[in-house]
Coordinates of all heavy atoms in Angstrom, one line a residue:
Chain M
L903 N -1.1 -48.0 -49.5 CA -1.5 -47.3 -48.3 C -0.4 -47.4 -47.3 O -0.2 -48.5 -46.7 CB -2.8 -47.8 -47.8 CG -4.0 -47.7 -48.7 CD1 -5.2 -48.4 -48.0 CD2 -4.4 -46.3 -49.0
E904 N 0.3 -46.3 -47.1 CA 1.4 -46.4 -46.2 C 1.0 -46.2 -44.7 O 0.1 -45.3 -44.5 CB 2.5 -45.4 -46.5 CG 3.6 -46.0 -47.5 CD 4.4 -44.9 -48.1 OE1 5.1 -44.2 -47.3 OE2 4.4 -44.7 -49.3
N905 N 1.7 -46.8 -43.8 CA 1.3 -46.6 -42.4 C -0.2 -46.8 -42.2 O -0.8 -46.0 -41.5 CB 1.8 -45.3 -41.9 CG 3.3 -45.1 -41.8 OD1 3.9 -46.1 -41.5 ND2 3.8 -44.0 -42.2
C906 N -0.7 -47.8 -42.8 CA -2.1 -47.9 -42.7 C -2.5 -49.4 -42.6 O -1.9 -50.2 -43.2 CB -2.8 -47.3 -44.0 SG -4.5 -47.4 -44.0
K907 N -3.5 -49.6 -41.7 CA -4.1 -51.0 -41.6 C -5.5 -50.9 -42.2 O -6.3 -50.0 -41.8 CB -4.2 -51.3 -40.1 CG -3.1 -52.1 -39.6 CD -3.2 -53.6 -39.9 CE -2.0 -54.4 -39.4 NZ -2.1 -55.8 -39.9
Y908 N -5.8 -51.8 -43.1 CA -7.1 -52.0 -43.6 C -7.7 -53.2 -42.9 O -7.2 -54.3 -43.1 CB -7.1 -52.1 -45.1 CG -8.5 -52.4 -45.7 CD1 -9.3 -51.4 -46.1 CD2 -9.0 -53.7 -45.8 CE1 -10.5 -51.6 -46.7 CE2 -10.2 -54.0 -46.3 CZ -11.0 -52.9 -46.7 OH -12.2 -53.2 -47.2
I909 N -8.8 -53.1 -42.2 CA -9.3 -54.2 -41.4 C -10.7 -54.5 -41.9 O -11.6 -53.7 -42.1 CB -9.4 -53.9 -39.9 CG1 -8.0 -53.6 -39.4 CG2 -10.0 -55.0 -39.2 CD1 -7.9 -52.4 -38.5
T910 N -10.9 -55.8 -42.1 CA -12.3 -56.3 -42.5 C -13.0 -56.6 -41.1 O -12.6 -57.6 -40.5 CB -12.2 -57.5 -43.4 OG1 -11.4 -58.5 -42.7 CG2 -11.7 -57.2 -44.7
A911 N -14.0 -55.8 -40.8 CA -14.7 -56.1 -39.6 C -15.9 -57.1 -39.8 O -16.1 -57.4 -41.0 CB -15.3 -54.8 -39.0
E912 N -16.5 -57.5 -38.8 CA -17.6 -58.5 -39.0 C -19.0 -57.8 -38.8 O -20.0 -58.5 -38.9 CB -17.5 -59.6 -38.0 CG -16.3 -60.5 -38.3 CD -16.2 -61.8 -37.6 OE1 -17.1 -62.1 -36.7 OE2 -15.3 -62.6 -37.8
S913 N -19.0 -56.5 -38.6 CA -20.3 -55.8 -38.6 C -19.9 -54.3 -38.6 O -18.8 -53.9 -38.2 CB -21.1 -56.1 -37.4 OG -20.6 -55.6 -36.2
E914 N -20.9 -53.4 -38.8 CA -20.7 -52.0 -38.8 C -20.4 -51.6 -37.3 O -19.6 -50.7 -37.0 CB -21.9 -51.2 -39.3 CG -22.0 -51.3 -40.8 CD -22.8 -52.5 -41.2 OE1 -23.1 -53.4 -40.4 OE2 -23.1 -52.6 -42.5
F915 N -21.1 -52.2 -36.4 CA -21.0 -51.9 -35.0 C -19.5 -52.1 -34.6 O -18.9 -51.3 -33.9 CB -21.9 -52.8 -34.1 CG -21.9 -52.4 -32.7 CD1 -23.0 -51.6 -32.2 CD2 -20.9 -52.8 -31.8 CE1 -23.0 -51.2 -30.9 CE2 -21.0 -52.4 -30.5 CZ -22.0 -51.6 -30.0
E916 N -19.0 -53.2 -35.1 CA -17.6 -53.5 -34.8 C -16.6 -52.6 -35.5 O -15.7 -52.1 -34.9 CB -17.3 -55.0 -35.2 CG -16.0 -55.5 -34.6 CD -15.4 -56.7 -35.3 OE1 -16.1 -57.2 -36.3 OE2 -14.3 -57.1 -35.0
A917 N -16.9 -52.3 -36.7 CA -16.1 -51.4 -37.5 C -15.9 -50.0 -36.7 O -14.8 -49.5 -36.5 CB -16.6 -51.1 -38.9
A918 N -17.1 -49.5 -36.3 CA -17.0 -48.2 -35.6 C -16.3 -48.4 -34.3 O -15.5 -47.5 -33.9 CB -18.4 -47.7 -35.4
S919 N -16.5 -49.5 -33.6 CA -15.8 -49.7 -32.3 C -14.3 -49.8 -32.5 O -13.5 -49.3 -31.6 CB -16.4 -50.9 -31.7 OG -17.7 -50.8 -31.5

Side-chain angles (χ1 to χ4, degrees):
Chain M
L903 301 173
E904 269 169 62
N905 292 322
C906 180
K907 267 277 179 188
Y908 174 93
I909 299 136
T910 52
E912 293 190 358
S913 72
E914 288 87 355
F915 190 97
E916 196 199 352
S919 300

